[in-house]
């Protein structure tokens, strides 16, 4: 219910009398005969009156500015006079008597600032948030200074931990908390740290602790910078069975009014909301009191400030009071999952919203992951060991062909062990994998869909801790399948080699702008106990030892883009060329060659760091990368280099030659059906001899043709590709830093440079 007196026949006359005497008293001024005014800027003119319809806009502006300054001065003086807590409490006594009349029937005198559904959703959102456990709130039957010191230190820790956890969960995980904790003594007083208050003997006068904005740096703290105030008292209920005592509520309103007044008087306008949350707690219990109202409707009576504040609270304000619940348990640590602490957390969340605006992650979005966490726990229980059967008797929770959640038992009469039945793991949408990463510990990923593109056991997935980013997840084969199955051995080798290559890039600090980033790698954690003898060993479980690799980002492969949208434009072909060439250059710094460049292994993602609509191309699938001469590359009849097809290994220009075939494909070039290595080599010889590739790419861009001529002179030689000079030219062409006249000169000089670099004339052939 909205607070204020319920107007009825019993008290309407008294209220009108109070309001009438208040207005009369306010309009009288012992200093001058200027009209009275309210804080909304309106003025009551006397009968002698000044016309309110003056034609002069300058006069009206000057008058408005003068009125505004006067209102500010009146409000500032009013705030100075509203300083006695006892008088404030005494003025509200009749109000509380009226509001407490209905509690005899079990009704609450004030409505709560939060609904139970709101708190439940917030609880789901915080399900995965780890707050620091506190062990500093003492419980002692004897009052002493040491106990009080520990209580305030615990309160300071509690506020900071609560604020830091909420900030990192909803706003910024890596940006430091923009608030700090400090303690006031009374409205308008200075702020102290607990240590400073103890050293100066002022601990007994502290009213509580406040979260303060860091916006002003190291300058003196002002009350308008208080984001949230927590009042701390020895006993906040004082035996009141309905929750907070009337004295506790009055004190909270006293400080709440002063916070609203200080924000109104502030010039910074950091908080535009007309409400304030007060946390009220002792060493056992706590709750929240919320005060809302438009101070523009306050008519300050300087001769009796408490009376005018009562009128504002009754007629124009809304007070909400939560129930009182346990905050600290008997061991002295905070009950983060209980209702009492949850109410304080939600009040702090809304206080942050007032100061910083909406969070980056909403309560609803985080709460929606509750079902994912439930599925994760269900996945952990998919298998359990039957104690009455043999040690290998496993009961799967879900099998293909059964409804989700239905339990089907394994047929124990089949004389086959799990090892003999093992094959590579087939995953479905919504399945959850637990991964044991040696560096990051256990991580959980939920399968979204199969990646396809001819790559077996590859999926898109999300990290359950950060579900907003889509990831690529590759599952290897179980080590027991490597001997009988060539497919599984290739799968296992691909995941292991990719992990090795990405680790090389990471350890050598290679730029990953055009390369995939490794998010996690390790072995799958199977349900039930693991009986492996060594950390690197495996047990008889069919999943044990299966390697997993998770990378970022996920994008559309070039093959599907060309199929869907057709050939690339000149600008997009140059951008793709530049990005893939940059990836090859970065890999070369680590002594790595890709060895498997094809449209399925280049993906396109949105470039978040550039203007909308631009793309970034990433070279993925490093499972067949070449580190040594003995390493054999993948053989692709359409995209492998001639040297790779002839000799089964790469020469220094092999990746560049494969890149030419890739560009030929995305620019609309056609390839006859190739069914053998011989036909593939014949096609290459014919293309280079008749300059088919140069002509096709030359129609798209002179720069692509020039690079093709350059590679034509290097094919099959032991000379490396000069990536740097081509990347500089591509950067100029892609970024558009030069005008058309300069670009023409660059193309002309480029042809001359290419002829020198290749050692052949522009009309020559390799």
């Amino acid at each position: 219910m909205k607070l204020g007196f319920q107007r009825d026949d019993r008290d309407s006359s008294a209220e009108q009398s109070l309001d009438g005497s208040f207005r009369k008293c306010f309009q009288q001024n012992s200093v001058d005969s200027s009209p009275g005014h309210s804080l909304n800027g309106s003025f009551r003119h006397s009968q002698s009156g000044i016309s309110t319809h003056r034609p002069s806009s300058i006069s009206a502006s000057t008058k408005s500015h003068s009125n505004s300054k006067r209102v500010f001065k009146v409000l500032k003086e009013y705030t100075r006079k509203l300083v006695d807590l006892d008088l404030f409490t005494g003025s509200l006594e009749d109000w509380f008597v009226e509001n407490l009349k209905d509690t005899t029937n079990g009704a609450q005198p004030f409505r709560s600032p939060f609904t139970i559904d709101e708190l439940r959703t917030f609880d789901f959102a915080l399900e995965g948030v780890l707050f620091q456990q506190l062990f500093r709130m003492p419980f002692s039957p004897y009052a002493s200074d040491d106990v009080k010191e520990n209580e305030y230190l615990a309160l300071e820790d509690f506020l900071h931990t609560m604020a830091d956890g909420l900030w990192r969960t909803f706003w910024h995980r890596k940006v430091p908390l923009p608030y700090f904790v400090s303690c006031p003594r009374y409205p308008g007083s200075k702020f102290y740290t607990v240590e400073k208050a103890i050293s100066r003997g002022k601990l007994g006068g502290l009213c509580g602790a406040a979260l303060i904005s860091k916006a002003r740096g190291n300058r003196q703290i002002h009350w308008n910078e208080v984001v949230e105030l927590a009042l701390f008292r020895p006993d906040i209920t004082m035996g009141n069975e309905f929750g907070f005592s009337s004295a506790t509520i009055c004190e909270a309103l006293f400080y709440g009014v002063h916070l609203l007044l200080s924000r109104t008087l502030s010039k910074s306008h950091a908080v535009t909301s007309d409400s304030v949350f007060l946390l009220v707690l002792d060493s056992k219990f706590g709750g929240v009191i919320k005060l809302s109202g438009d101070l523009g409707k306050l008519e300050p009576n300087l001769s009796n400030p408490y009376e005018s504040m009562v009128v504002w609270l009754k007629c124009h304000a809304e007070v909400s009071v939560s129930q009182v619940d346990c905050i600290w348990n008997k061991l002295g640590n905070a009950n983060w999952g209980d209702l009492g602490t949850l109410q304080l957390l939600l009040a702090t969340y809304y206080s942050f919203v007032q100061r910083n605006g909406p969070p980056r992650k909403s309560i609803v979005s985080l709460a929606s992951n509750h079902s994912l966490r439930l599925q994760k726990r269900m996945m952990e229980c998919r298998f359990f060991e039957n104690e009455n059967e043999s040690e290998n008797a496993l009961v799967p929770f879900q099998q293909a062909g059964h409804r989700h959640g239905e339990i089907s038992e394994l047929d124990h009469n089949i004389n086959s062990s799990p090892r003999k039945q093992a094959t590579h793991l087939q995953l479905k949408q919504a399945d959850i994998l637990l991964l044991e990463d040696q560096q990051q510990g256990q991580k959980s990923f939920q399968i979204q869909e199969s990646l396809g593109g001819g790559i077996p056991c590859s999926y898109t997935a999300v990290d359950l801790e950060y579900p907003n980013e889509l990831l690529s997840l590759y599952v290897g084969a179980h080590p027991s399948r490597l001997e009988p199955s060539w497919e599984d051995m290739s799968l296992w080798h691909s995941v292991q080699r990719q992990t090795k290559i990405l680790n090389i890039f990471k350890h050598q600090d290679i730029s990953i702008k055009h390369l995939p980033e490794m998010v996690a790698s390790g072995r799958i954690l199977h349900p039930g106990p693991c009986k492996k003898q060594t950390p690197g060993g495996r047990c008889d479980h069919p999943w044990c030892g299966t390697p997993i690799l998770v990378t970022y980002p996920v994008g559309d492969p070039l093959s599907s883009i060309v199929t869907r949208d057709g050939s690339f434009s000149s600008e997009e072909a140059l951008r793709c060329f530049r990005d893939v060439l940059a990836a090859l250059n970065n890999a070369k710094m680590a002594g790595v060659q890709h060895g498997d460049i094809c449209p399925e292994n280049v993906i396109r993602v949105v470039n978040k760091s550039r203007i909308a609509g631009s793309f970034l191309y990433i070279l993925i699938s490093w499972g067949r990368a070449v580190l040594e001469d003995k390493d054999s590359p993948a053989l692709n009849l359409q995209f492998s280099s001639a040297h790779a097809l002839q000799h089964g290994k790469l020469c220094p220009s092999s990746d560049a030659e494969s890149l030419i075939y890739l560009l030929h494909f995305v620019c609309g070039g056609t390839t006859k059906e190739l069914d053998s290595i011989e036909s593939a080599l014949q096609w290459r010889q014919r293309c280079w001899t008749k300059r088919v590739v140069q002509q096709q790419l030359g129609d798209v861009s002179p720069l692509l043709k020039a690079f093709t001529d350059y590679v034509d002179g290097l094919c099959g030689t032991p000379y490396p590709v000069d990536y740097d000079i081509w990347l500089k030219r591509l950067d100029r062409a892609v970024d558009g830093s030069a005008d058309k006249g300069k670009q023409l000169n660059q193309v002309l000089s480029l042809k001359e440079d290419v002829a020198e670099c290749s050692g052949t004339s522009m009309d020559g052939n390799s």
Side-chain angles (χ1 to χ4, degrees):
M1 75 181 202
K2 184 171 182 177
L3 288 194
F5 282 115
Q6 301 297 321
R7 296 176 181 267
D8 54 27
D9 296 336
R10 292 177 296 175
D11 60 359
S12 61
S13 59
E15 190 169 332
Q16 291 172 2
S17 175
L18 173 62
D19 190 36
S21 61
F22 153 68
R23 293 176 185 269
K24 182 178 179 181
C25 180
F26 179 74
Q27 290 177 3
Q28 293 176 350
N29 193 309
S30 59
V31 179
D32 54 30
S33 58
S34 60
H37 57 278
S38 64
L39 287 181
N40 59 14
S42 62
F43 288 79
R44 299 180 177 86
H45 297 283
S46 64
Q47 295 293 332
S48 61
I50 303 171
S51 174
T52 59
H53 301 285
R54 295 290 179 87
S56 171
S57 61
I58 298 178
S59 175
S61 176
T62 305
K63 180 179 178 182
S64 176
H65 179 68
S66 175
N67 291 343
S68 179
K69 288 183 66 176
R70 178 165 184 177
V71 169
F72 181 83
K73 289 180 64 177
V74 170
L75 186 60
K76 195 171 184 179
E77 181 63 24
Y78 178 82
T79 304
R80 289 196 186 102
K81 290 179 175 288
L82 195 74
V83 293
D84 194 315
L85 175 60
D86 293 334
L87 289 177
F88 183 87
T89 303
S91 301
L92 289 177
E93 184 176 357
D94 293 338
W95 182 41
F96 274 103
V97 171
E98 290 295 326
N99 279 280
L100 290 173
K101 283 181 180 179
D102 296 333
T103 59
T104 54
N105 298 325
Q108 294 297 323
F110 306 104
R111 74 176 183 88
S112 174
F114 317 115
T115 65
I116 191 64
D117 289 339
E118 189 178 15
L119 289 167
R120 182 182 292 111
T121 303
F122 189 60
D123 187 31
F124 286 160
L126 295 181
E127 197 171 34
V129 181
L130 296 177
F131 289 97
Q132 175 189 351
Q133 285 294 329
L134 306 176
F135 296 89
R136 302 178 66 171
M137 185 57 68
F139 281 85
S140 173
Y142 309 104
S144 68
D145 291 339
D146 291 340
V147 171
K148 196 169 188 66
E149 289 178 6
N150 288 335
E151 287 177 345
Y152 268 95
L153 289 170
L155 176 64
E156 186 179 51
D157 281 351
F158 179 70
L159 284 181
H160 181 271
T161 300
M162 184 165 55
D164 188 65
L166 291 175
W167 177 259
R168 296 183 184 279
T169 301
F170 293 98
W171 275 266
H172 296 279
R173 180 172 293 274
K174 296 182 180 179
V175 176
L177 178 69
Y179 310 117
F180 64 96
V181 181
S182 195
C183 303
R185 300 178 65 195
Y186 49 82
S189 73
K190 293 182 179 180
F191 287 81
Y192 303 85
T193 62
V194 176
E195 289 79 3
K196 183 180 289 186
I198 293 173
S199 65
R200 296 188 178 183
K202 298 182 181 294
L203 186 65
L206 297 181
C207 68
L211 283 172
I212 312 293
S213 174
K214 294 180 180 179
R216 293 178 58 89
N218 295 323
R219 291 179 287 174
Q220 184 178 358
I221 302 172
H222 295 277
W223 273 80
N224 63 286
E225 296 163 354
V226 173
V227 179
E228 182 183 63
L229 182 65
L231 298 176
F232 189 77
R233 287 291 175 264
D235 186 1
I236 57 177
T237 61
M238 296 183 182
N240 180 18
E241 59 179 325
F242 299 107
F244 288 115
S245 66
S246 59
T248 300
I249 298 177
C250 285
E251 183 179 9
L253 294 178
F254 180 67
Y255 281 94
V257 163
H258 274 277
L259 286 176
L260 290 177
L261 288 170
S262 65
R263 293 175 182 178
T264 303
L265 291 170
S266 170
K267 298 179 181 179
S268 65
H269 301 292
V271 179
T272 57
S273 174
D274 59 356
S275 63
V276 61
F277 290 90
L278 289 308
L279 311 185
V280 186
L281 60 162
D282 56 25
S283 60
K284 296 181 181 178
F285 305 102
V288 177
I289 296 176
K290 179 185 177 183
L291 173 62
S292 305
D294 183 6
L295 279 178
K297 298 179 181 179
L298 172 66
E299 298 179 346
N301 184 345
L302 297 182
S303 62
N304 193 343
Y306 304 95
E307 191 176 47
S308 60
M309 182 53 68
V310 168
V311 174
W312 181 79
L313 286 170
K314 288 165 51 179
C315 303
H316 305 295
E318 181 177 357
V319 178
S320 305
V321 181
S322 75
Q323 71 179 72
V324 177
D325 214 301
C326 182
I327 300 295
W328 312 90
N329 63 24
K330 292 185 178 181
L331 293 175
N333 47 321
N335 290 333
W336 293 110
D338 287 357
L339 181 63
T341 310
L342 200 62
Q343 293 178 145
L344 270 60
L345 284 165
L346 188 54
T348 306
Y349 170 87
Y350 285 136
S351 299
F352 284 9
V353 172
Q354 289 180 357
R355 179 70 60 162
N356 289 92
R360 302 176 71 182
K361 297 181 180 178
S362 66
I363 293 177
V364 175
S365 66
L366 290 183
S368 64
N369 295 328
H370 174 66
S371 59
L372 294 179
R373 288 187 284 268
L374 287 180
Q375 291 180 15
K376 175 183 174 181
R377 290 197 289 269
M378 291 169 62
M379 180 65 184
E380 293 172 353
C381 301
R382 283 194 171 193
F383 288 83
F384 66 88
E385 189 170 14
N386 190 341
E387 296 179 357
N388 298 324
E389 302 292 339
S390 64
E391 61 178 8
N392 288 330
L394 300 174
V395 183
F397 178 82
Q398 181 180 348
Q399 290 261 344
H402 297 276
R403 292 187 296 110
H404 179 70
E406 184 178 343
I407 299 176
S408 61
E409 294 189 4
L410 209 63
D411 188 355
H412 297 281
N413 296 323
I414 299 177
N415 297 321
S416 59
S417 67
R419 178 181 290 274
K420 293 180 181 179
Q421 293 179 346
T423 183
H424 53 254
L425 195 59
Q426 296 292 339
L427 300 174
K428 303 178 183 63
Q429 186 178 7
D431 284 350
I432 296 177
L433 282 183
L434 295 179
L435 173 67
E436 184 179 26
D437 191 308
Q438 293 182 353
Q439 297 181 351
Q440 304 180 60
Q442 295 184 13
K443 298 181 72 68
S444 300
F445 299 92
Q446 185 183 45
I447 303 300
Q448 302 299 301
E449 61 181 354
S450 176
L451 270 176
I455 307 175
C457 293
S458 58
Y459 309 88
T460 58
V462 293
D463 187 337
L464 291 184
E465 295 182 6
Y466 311 102
N468 295 330
E469 294 287 357
L470 206 58
L471 308 171
S472 299
L473 187 143
Y474 303 93
V475 182
H478 189 270
S480 65
R481 296 285 300 173
L482 301 187
E483 291 181 5
S485 170
W486 168 259
E487 177 190 356
D488 286 338
M489 185 173 73
S490 177
L491 187 63
W492 181 87
H493 179 273
S494 176
V495 173
Q496 297 288 65
R497 174 52 67 97
Q498 272 207 87
T499 303
K500 179 179 180 179
I501 298 300
L502 296 185
N503 271 319
I504 290 175
F505 292 157
K506 180 179 179 181
H507 293 153
Q508 296 192 18
D509 200 22
I510 300 297
S511 172
I512 59 172
K513 183 178 181 181
H514 304 293
L515 298 170
E517 177 183 358
M518 185 169 64
V519 176
S521 67
R523 295 182 172 190
I524 190 171
L525 275 177
H526 60 79
C530 184
K531 300 179 180 179
K532 61 184 178 184
Q533 301 297 322
T534 62
R538 63 179 187 271
C539 67
D540 288 335
H541 194 281
W543 292 3
C544 190
T546 301
I548 303 288
L549 173 66
V550 184
T551 65
Y552 175 86
V554 174
D556 296 326
L558 296 189
S559 53
S560 62
I561 295 173
V562 172
T563 302
R564 183 184 66 231
D565 303 331
S567 304
F568 279 22
S569 64
S570 173
E571 294 77 8
E572 205 59 35
L574 284 173
R575 186 178 299 279
C576 174
F577 175 29
R578 190 271 307 270
D579 290 355
V580 176
L581 200 67
L584 294 177
N585 186 39
N586 291 333
K588 176 190 172 186
M589 297 178 184
V592 177
Q593 290 179 277
H594 187 275
D596 193 15
I597 295 177
C598 61
E600 289 76 22
N601 291 340
V602 178
I603 61 172
R604 187 174 75 178
V605 299
V606 176
N607 192 351
K608 299 179 181 179
S609 63
R610 291 184 174 268
I611 60 174
S614 64
F615 298 103
L616 197 67
Y617 294 88
I618 311 292
L619 184 56
I620 63 169
S621 297
W622 293 80
R624 299 303 300 267
V626 173
L627 286 171
E628 304 170 348
D629 288 340
K630 64 180 181 180
D631 296 330
S632 59
L635 297 182
N636 187 305
L637 295 180
Q638 185 175 350
F639 298 99
S640 292
S641 67
H643 195 273
L645 292 175
Q646 282 180 314
H647 305 286
K649 57 182 180 180
L650 302 183
C651 68
S653 63
S654 288
D655 279 345
E657 183 182 345
S658 294
L659 179 54
I660 295 296
Y661 303 141
L662 177 71
L663 294 172
H664 181 259
F665 169 79
V666 299
C667 292
T670 58
T671 305
K672 63 170 292 186
E673 185 176 350
L674 305 174
D675 55 5
S676 66
I677 292 180
E678 290 182 359
S679 63
L681 290 172
Q682 290 173 1
W683 175 80
R684 283 158 174 73
Q685 183 179 12
R686 183 169 57 254
C687 284
W688 290 111
T689 302
K690 296 184 177 182
R691 301 179 60 79
V692 174
V693 178
Q694 283 94 327
Q695 293 173 11
Q696 172 70 29
L697 296 181
D699 293 338
V700 179
S701 166
L703 192 56
L704 292 180
K705 180 180 181 296
F707 182 75
T708 306
D709 284 327
Y710 171 67
V711 174
D712 189 7
L714 286 178
C715 284
T717 71
Y719 301 108
V721 177
D722 188 348
Y723 291 105
D724 293 331
I725 187 171
W726 289 101
L727 286 173
K728 290 177 182 178
R729 292 164 182 167
L730 284 165
D731 285 337
R732 288 198 297 265
V734 170
D735 296 335
S737 58
D739 57 33
K740 292 183 179 179
K742 291 182 179 178
Q743 289 177 0
L744 181 59
N745 292 333
Q746 288 170 0
V747 171
L748 292 175
S749 64
L750 181 62
K751 291 184 177 182
E752 297 175 0
D753 293 341
V754 169
E756 295 176 2
C757 291
S758 63
T760 63
S761 67
M762 296 305 296
D763 295 327
N765 299 320
S766 60

